[in-house]
Structure formats: C-alpha cells, structure tokens
Amino acid sequence: MPTVTQYPTSAPPTRTGSTTATTPSGPAVVQTVPAPATGQAGTSVRLTTPRGPGTSKPKTAVPGTTGPSRPVAVHEPYEPPVLPPKPPFIPGEQDLRAALLTGGDLPPGFIPADAQGLGGSLAGCPLLANDPPGTTASANAVFSQAATVTTVSQSLLHVGDRTAEAMAAFDALPQVCARFEGTLSTMKLEFTTARATSPAIGDASVAVRLTISLPGGPALLAQDVVIVSHRGTIIVLSVISLTPPGDLLTAVVTRALDKVTARW
C-alpha cells in the first residue's frame, strides 16, 4: 500500500494516500491509511509509540510477588524487661498490732482484757512460755466473756525465714510437752497436751488441746490452741473454757488469718 512521509514545512503539502509524521521526542509515527482508490476495502492503522526523554524504565517485579521489590521491615517480638523479685514485706510490731483481733471480730459479750489474760506461767513447756527462735516482732490481745467463763487469746509473731522451724516445733508439742506443770492465776496446775484436728488454712497449721487440772486431781479447764503460719508470720489462737469451744475457735482463727492476709 503506498505511503507518504510528511515533514514539517512552512506550508503543509497536500495529503494524498497515507501520512507519516514525526514527533519532537522520538522516531516517526507511521499511520497507514487506505488509498482513495476505487474498490479498496477496510482501514488499518499501525502506531509506533515513541519513548522520549524522561520516560521511566518499567520496574522489575520480584518473582512470586505482584509488584516491584521493596525493603521489608522486620519487627522483633516485644519482650518485657525482667525485673528483680519484690522483697517480702517484713511487718514490725506496729503492723502486727494493727492486724490483731478487736472486740468487733468476736461474738457479742467478749470484751478486751488485760494482755496477761488470767496470768500465770507455762514455764514447764518453754515453747509455749517463750517466743520461737528468730522472732523479730510480736503483739498480743486477750478477750473474755464473763457469761461463759471463756477467754480468747491471740499472739502474732513474725519469724521470717524460720517459719518452717517454728511450725515443726509446734507440731511436736504433744511429744515435747506431753505433761508439764504451770500456774494459772495463783494456782499450781498440771497440763496435758494432746493433738487435735487443725483447720486446713494458711501456709501450715497445727492444733493441740491442753487439759488443765489440779495436781493429781480432775480436769478443770480445756485450752484449745491453733497455730497458723502465713508468709513468715505465725498466728497463735487459744480458747480457754469450761466447755468445748465448738465452732468458736474455727471462726476466730479464720477471722484472724483474714486480717493478716489483708495486710501482707
């Protein structure tokens, strides 16, 4: 098919047949059109797209991706800083006093009494007469109920890392202090120690019953004692009564432990 190549001039030539033109930024664009000859059928156009200055080169895609390659940020998993363990709280005497039972923690009728209670001495059983080895602070409280001739005594002792040693000694009371002499008020008495069922509370617990009698005579009183440990603190609760304390001791021990655990 005949074509004509056209170049810019002051006066454009007459168009006949097909036209070929150049662009300022690349090779000529060739357009082929049918000659106006009679009987010529159809029209075809062939375009050559120029690529001039400033045309960017196609980016090459990374195999397996849908776009050009780019740097990928890698994030390391977050790891919280390792902090040293918090040291255990060591209560002083003031802390122990704040955790003691009060009259409102006991059934109606109990009133605060002298911290010495009924007075007397348990020198025949040194473990009951003295604080356990390693005791750094202590506090005591005593309550009495005249109607039932009942006395509730509490001791809080902090022994820290010697707690296991102290609890093992209390657990041996029925053997070490099976029978010993002491005084209650001004009377000389005999004490017999037997193991009792301890409530499953605290870190560890021990329970004993002391039967109090006149030397060679019948039993007069019973003293039920429960010892509970919690984080280096030992709670000693005792109930002295003419009759078995029933659920009173369990309720008092539970309340005493709750007051300590609420603080440390």
Side-chain angles (χ1 to χ4, degrees), residues 181-191 212-216 220:
E181 291 185 352
T183 58
L184 187 62
S185 187
T186 58
M187 292 188 297
K188 187 176 181 178
L189 301 169
E190 286 186 349
F191 294 81
I212 306 170
S213 60
L214 293 171
L220 299 177

Side-chain angles (χ1 to χ4, degrees), residues 31-80:
Q31 295 180 325
T32 304
V33 296
T38 303
Q40 180 67 39
T43 301
S44 62
V45 178
R46 181 170 57 87
L47 298 176
T48 302
T49 304
R51 192 180 68 194
T55 304
S56 60
K57 183 179 180 180
K59 296 181 180 180
T60 304
V62 178
T65 64
T66 58
S69 61
R70 294 181 181 178
V72 178
V74 178
H75 299 282
E76 295 293 335
Y78 172 74
E79 294 184 2

